[in-house]
């Protein structure tokens, strides 16, 4: 595993506003960005986005975090870039690619 992977325990929140399938950033609920790792240089972490129905999910690579706004690389680990709505889940989960 690369030392550039960053983790925190139990980091989970929801989207503050919706994103399209081509968005390169997302914003989480106010103050909850602090639950996720602080990144420097080439560090990153993986997040899973999941709609409230639990029918659509996507793994994204977060390459920067500024308070509650994450810069993301879409459609990681074989997932498909999808649109998500305000209130959908944003969680730091262990993924197969990280193992």
């Amino acid at each position: 595993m690369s030392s550039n992977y960053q983790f925190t325990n139990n980091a989970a929140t929801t989207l503050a506003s919706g994103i399209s399938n081509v968005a390169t950033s997302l914003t989480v609920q106010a103050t909850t960005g602090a639950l996720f790792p602080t990144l420097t240089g080439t560090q990153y972490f993986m997040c899973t986005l999941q709609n409230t129905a639990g029918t659509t999910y996507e793994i994204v690579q977060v390459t920067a975090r500024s308070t509650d706004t994450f810069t993301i690389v879409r459609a990681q680990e074989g997932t498909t870039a999808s649109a998500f709505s305000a209130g959908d889940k944003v969680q730091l989960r262990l993924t197969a690619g990280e193992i």
Side-chain angles (χ1 to χ4, degrees):
M1 181 172 6
S2 169
S3 62
N4 287 332
Y5 279 115
Q6 299 299 300
F7 299 93
T8 56
N9 291 322
N10 305 313
T13 186
T14 57
L15 287 173
S17 57
I19 60 170
S20 71
N21 65 327
V22 295
T24 58
S25 67
L26 62 83
T27 303
V28 297
Q29 293 298 322
T31 73
T32 62
L35 299 170
F36 295 82
T38 299
L39 301 174
T40 59
T42 59
Q43 295 176 332
Y44 59 93
F45 59 91
M46 306 303 275
C47 273
T48 299
L49 310 179
Q50 183 178 16
N51 67 354
T52 55
T55 56
T56 302
Y57 70 92
E58 177 185 352
I59 298 172
V60 299
Q61 181 183 49
V62 180
T63 59
R65 181 178 68 81
S66 178
T67 313
D68 298 323
T69 301
F70 300 175
T71 302
I72 58 175
V73 179
R74 306 297 300 265
Q76 300 297 294
E77 299 187 34
T79 62
T80 301
S82 301
F84 291 90
S85 301
D88 285 347
K89 297 176 183 180
V90 179
Q91 299 176 327
L92 195 160
R93 300 178 182 174
L94 185 61
T95 68
E98 293 168 325
I99 296 172

